[in-house]
């Protein structure tokens, strides 16, 4: 306990991961999810945004068995197990792609660009993929 | 409110990073064009009116060595896009609160 | 100021590593501290000592190694990203070390600014 106190106050920063890439075609979606899961172990205030083609990462009913790649879409469900609860999807990006929140594999908060701008404004570390 | 430095490294005619950046940036933020992002500084390109339309709200910068490398020194660039070198890039990072890359 | 750098692309295909390198040199010249450079995604290829560019081209792997030696910079290559791309200790250039993704998060926590270079 004493040793703990000597370390001083824990730093808690706001980490934001911005996902703008579709899955499978490139590795960015998978490797960003890996960082997001690791970050959860650090007790930071973590948020994820899915916008532009990044919304396709969350499309439900993915089945990659015939392209020989791992279907990692179910791993997004693990975010909830790690208490990563700030998961935002841009409304305009979803609509532009003919999708709704019902098409997504996990429950998310759908926000307008305007509302997302306020989320982005609060961050300390922004990691794009 | 934090002052965000937005980094855009893609040509606006190749990818949508610039459009998304301008959609998400808030008044008072800064935008630095680097790598292929400097093509957005071309005054006679179609995209120029988008940049000029955002100039009341945002400050624009472009990385000089990337402009020179691409042979853009002899074509008109948008006035009020401030050209900086790598040290200017560092200053922009340290003088703003957060840096966000639009990859 | 303490800066953290994330590089998400390998050398040559993308300009990301070049820009990050020149940014880092300028930051050091201005008296800033580089807390860590973290290599992720294809960025792990920046650590491959087997890289042999043509003699009239810049040698990014060596440039990073030399910068790390001259300024005592921590160059960390993500283990998960490295292993799937065949980057192992045997081929790691001088000054790089392989470690976990937690090192990226820790850099984000400790550095005053985190700057991402990629595609």
């Amino acid at each position: 306990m004493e040793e703990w106190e000597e370390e001083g106050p824990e730093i808690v920063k706001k980490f934001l991961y911005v996902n703008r890439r579709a899955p499978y075609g490139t590795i960015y979606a998978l490797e960003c999810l890996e960082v997001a899961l690791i970050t959860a172990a650090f007790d930071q205030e973590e948020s994820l945004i899915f916008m532009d083609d990044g919304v396709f990462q969350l499309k439900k009913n993915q089945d990659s068995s015939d392209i020989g790649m791992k279907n990692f879409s179910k791993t997004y469900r693990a975010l909830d197990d790690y208490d990563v609860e700030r998961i935002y999807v841009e409304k305009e990006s979803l609509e532009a792609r003919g999708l709704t929140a019902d098409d997504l594999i996990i429950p998310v908060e759908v926000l307008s660009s305007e509302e997302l701008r306020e989320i982005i404004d609060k961050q300390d570390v922004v990691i794009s993929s | 409110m934090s002052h965000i430095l937005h980094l855009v490294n893609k040509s606006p005619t190749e990818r949508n990073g610039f459009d998304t950046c301008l959609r998400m940036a808030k008044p008072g933020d800064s935008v630095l064009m680097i790598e292929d992002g400097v093509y957005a500084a071309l005054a006679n390109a179609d995209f120029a009116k988008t940049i000029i339309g955002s100039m009341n709200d945002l400050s624009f910068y472009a990385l000089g060595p990337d402009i020179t490398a691409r042979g853009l020194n002899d074509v008109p660039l948008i006035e009020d896009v401030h050209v900086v070198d790598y040290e200017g890039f560092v200053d922009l990072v340290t003088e703003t609160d957060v840096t966000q890359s639009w990859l | 100021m303490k800066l953290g750098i994330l590089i998400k692309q390998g050398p040559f295909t993308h300009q990301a590593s070049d820009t990050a390198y020149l940014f880092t040199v300028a930051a050091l010249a201005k008296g800033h501290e580089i807390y860590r450079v973290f290599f992720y995604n294809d960025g792990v290829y920046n650590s491959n000592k087997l890289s042999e560019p043509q003699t009239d081209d810049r040698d990014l792997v060596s440039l990073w190694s030399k910068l790390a030696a001259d300024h005592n910079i921590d160059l960390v290559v993500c283990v998960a990203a490295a292993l799937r791309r065949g980057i192992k200790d045997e081929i790691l250039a001088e000054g790089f070390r392989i470690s976990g993704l937690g090192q990226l998060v820790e850099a984000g926590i400790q550095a005053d600014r985190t700057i991402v270079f990629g595609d």
Side-chain angles (χ1 to χ4, degrees):
Chain A
M1 196 62 202
E2 277 172 14
E3 204 176 306
W4 173 260
E5 282 167 8
E6 278 170 22
E7 286 176 13
E10 286 283 296
I11 303 173
V12 176
K13 282 196 175 180
K14 296 184 180 69
F15 277 72
L16 172 66
Y17 293 97
V18 182
N19 290 277
R20 294 180 47 246
R21 295 275 174 77
Y24 305 113
T26 54
I27 199 170
Y28 304 112
L30 169 63
E31 291 194 326
C32 188
L33 179 58
E34 289 179 347
V35 190
L37 289 169
I38 295 283
T39 306
F42 280 76
D43 292 326
Q44 301 293 301
E45 195 178 314
E46 181 178 359
S47 306
L48 274 70
I49 288 180
F50 295 86
M51 62 193 310
D52 291 337
D53 280 356
V55 303
F56 289 132
Q57 293 180 28
L58 300 180
K59 175 71 183 64
K60 68 182 177 192
N61 292 327
Q62 292 176 32
D63 178 359
S64 59
S65 47
D66 288 347
I67 58 169
M69 296 169 80
K70 186 166 75 176
N71 175 2
F72 59 95
S73 64
K74 290 179 178 66
T75 313
Y76 290 101
R77 292 184 183 142
L79 289 166
D80 189 50
D81 303 333
Y82 288 94
D83 294 324
V84 180
E85 283 152 1
R86 297 177 192 84
I87 303 178
Y88 308 106
V89 171
E90 191 198 22
K91 184 166 162 279
E92 287 80 351
S93 297
L94 265 187
E95 285 176 358
R97 287 158 184 80
L99 299 176
T100 70
D102 291 338
D103 294 305
L104 306 182
I105 194 166
I106 51 168
V108 298
E109 209 173 322
V110 178
L111 298 179
S112 67
S113 314
E114 197 65 41
E115 292 167 315
L116 267 186
R117 203 182 289 181
E118 284 169 35
I119 302 285
I120 290 176
D121 193 38
K122 293 181 187 134
Q123 305 301 322
D124 298 309
V125 180
V126 181
I127 295 184
S128 350
S129 63
Chain B
M1 268 206 331
S2 58
H3 181 176
I4 301 178
L5 173 66
H6 301 268
L7 294 183
V8 185
N9 73 335
K10 287 292 171 291
S11 153
T13 35
E14 189 204 356
R15 291 239 291 257
N16 67 355
F18 229 114
D19 289 307
T20 306
C21 167
L22 295 180
R23 184 166 83 240
M24 302 312 298
K26 64 175 186 311
D29 284 350
S30 299
V31 179
L32 172 60
M33 307 164 185
I34 64 169
E35 303 174 358
D36 287 351
V38 300
Y39 289 115
L42 293 176
N44 293 333
D46 292 345
F47 196 73
K49 50 182 176 294
T50 307
I51 299 286
I52 292 165
S54 306
M55 281 205 153
N56 282 338
D57 292 331
L58 303 169
S59 307
F60 287 93
Y61 303 85
L63 195 54
D66 280 327
I67 291 173
T68 309
R70 286 160 177 78
L72 306 182
N73 274 344
D74 61 357
V75 292
L77 301 181
I78 300 170
E79 223 178 304
D80 291 334
V81 171
H82 309 287
V83 177
V84 298
D85 57 12
Y86 284 98
E87 299 209 344
F89 183 177
V90 173
D91 289 339
L92 283 168
V93 166
T94 57
E95 288 163 8
T96 52
D97 301 309
V98 185
T99 301
Q100 174 161 13
S101 295
W102 295 95
L103 303 177
Chain C
M1 206 173 252
K2 263 189 288 188
L3 306 176
I5 311 270
L6 169 60
I7 301 180
K8 290 163 57 66
Q9 286 299 336
F12 308 112
T13 304
H14 296 274
Q15 202 185 339
S17 181
D18 293 278
T19 307
Y21 174 79
L22 293 167
F23 175 89
T24 303
V25 169
L28 290 165
K30 293 190 74 85
H32 296 294
E33 179 194 336
I34 302 300
Y35 182 78
R36 178 170 296 143
V37 182
F38 192 85
F39 298 86
Y40 195 44
N41 305 115
D42 278 1
V44 299
Y45 289 126
N46 287 286
S47 69
N48 185 352
K49 73 175 174 193
L50 302 179
S51 163
E52 226 176 279
Q54 291 179 340
T55 48
D56 60 349
D57 200 358
R58 82 282 189 216
D59 181 347
L60 275 162
V61 176
S62 300
L63 285 171
W64 280 115
S65 284
K66 188 172 184 315
L67 198 68
D70 291 349
H71 299 274
N72 196 25
I73 299 173
D74 192 19
L75 305 180
V76 179
V77 179
C78 169
V79 62
L83 285 180
R84 59 166 68 103
R85 291 170 176 84
I87 300 289
K88 297 184 173 186
D89 281 326
E90 301 93 279
I91 59 164
L92 215 54
E94 202 71 39
F96 290 85
R97 65 186 178 95
I98 294 180
S99 189
L101 266 177
Q103 298 278 304
L104 169 62
V105 183
E106 201 242 351
I109 294 169
Q110 298 299 332
D112 298 305
R113 299 284 185 278
T114 301
I115 308 104
V116 182
F117 297 91
D119 173 38

